[in-house]
Amino acid sequence: GKVGPPIVSRIIQFMSDGMLGYNQARKIMFTPFPFPHAQLSAFFVLIMALAIPFLMNQYANETWLGCVLTFLTVTCLSGLHEVAREMENPFRNAPNDVPLCTLLAFYNEALYTMFAGYHPDSYWNEADVLKKSKGSTRCDDSTKEQEKGNSSDELVP
């Protein structure tokens, strides 16, 4: 059927926004993280993991407090380093990552289905729908009875 120009314009705008987001993600993916920066970051975490226990020994008055502060500081620095390592290659296909290829395939299949004229969420067989619409169903019979005034108190599914 005919679709109004504002709706077509909005669809084209959404597709343009999608392509813009795709190109930005592609730019992030293909721009390598500087190798010297990554090596200096790993070296810094290693040096801090060795130096912080000595610093906390001098800083804290209690031994248990120094141990707790050392553990928390080293854990935070190591966690930040692991997050930075994960951000170096955000679109790899690791087991715990979001399956972007599969989601993209589902999205493309939904687009093909939508442009073909079918709704992506319709899972019934078209022949069964046509056969049921030509024949009389229980729901149609109860509607006809109610129009005649012979309604029953039974619930009809």
Side-chain angles (χ1 to χ4, degrees):
K2 293 187 176 185
V3 179
I7 295 174
V8 173
S9 172
R10 182 59 62 122
I11 289 172
I12 292 173
Q13 179 184 0
F14 282 150
M15 292 176 68
S16 173
D17 291 344
M19 284 303 295
L20 181 67
Y22 170 77
N23 285 325
Q24 288 174 348
R26 190 172 184 273
K27 183 172 45 175
I28 289 171
M29 185 173 116
F30 288 119
T31 303
F33 192 77
F35 182 73
H37 189 281
Q39 293 301 311
L40 283 174
S41 175
F43 182 70
F44 172 72
V45 169
L46 177 68
I47 294 298
M48 291 306 289
L50 297 174
I52 285 178
F54 297 111
L55 295 172
M56 288 300 169
N57 185 25
Q58 296 297 318
Y59 178 74
N61 296 334
E62 303 284 335
T63 305
W64 66 269
L65 182 62
C67 292
V68 169
L69 289 176
T70 299
F71 174 75
L72 292 175
T73 307
V74 171
T75 303
C76 287
L77 287 173
S78 299
L80 285 173
H81 179 66
E82 288 301 316
V83 168
R85 281 187 51 212
E86 188 70 28
M87 295 297 287
E88 284 180 26
N89 190 3
F91 300 113
R92 64 186 175 149
N93 196 12
N96 288 335
D97 287 345
V98 176
L100 292 178
C101 293
T102 306
L103 293 176
L104 179 64
F106 287 159
Y107 180 71
N108 286 339
E109 183 181 355
L111 283 177
Y112 288 141
T113 307
M114 183 180 65
F115 285 127
Y118 299 104
H119 193 274
D121 292 333
S122 61
Y123 295 113
W124 55 78
N125 189 357
E126 187 176 344
D128 292 341
V129 172
L130 291 175
K131 183 171 53 172
K132 286 182 182 179
S133 67
K134 288 180 182 176
S136 175
T137 62
R138 232 178 127 183
C139 185
D140 291 340
D141 291 342
S142 66
T143 307
K144 290 176 187 175
E145 286 179 10
Q146 286 177 358
E147 288 174 359
K148 291 179 185 177
N150 298 333
S151 63
S152 60
D153 291 339
E154 294 181 30
L155 295 177
V156 178

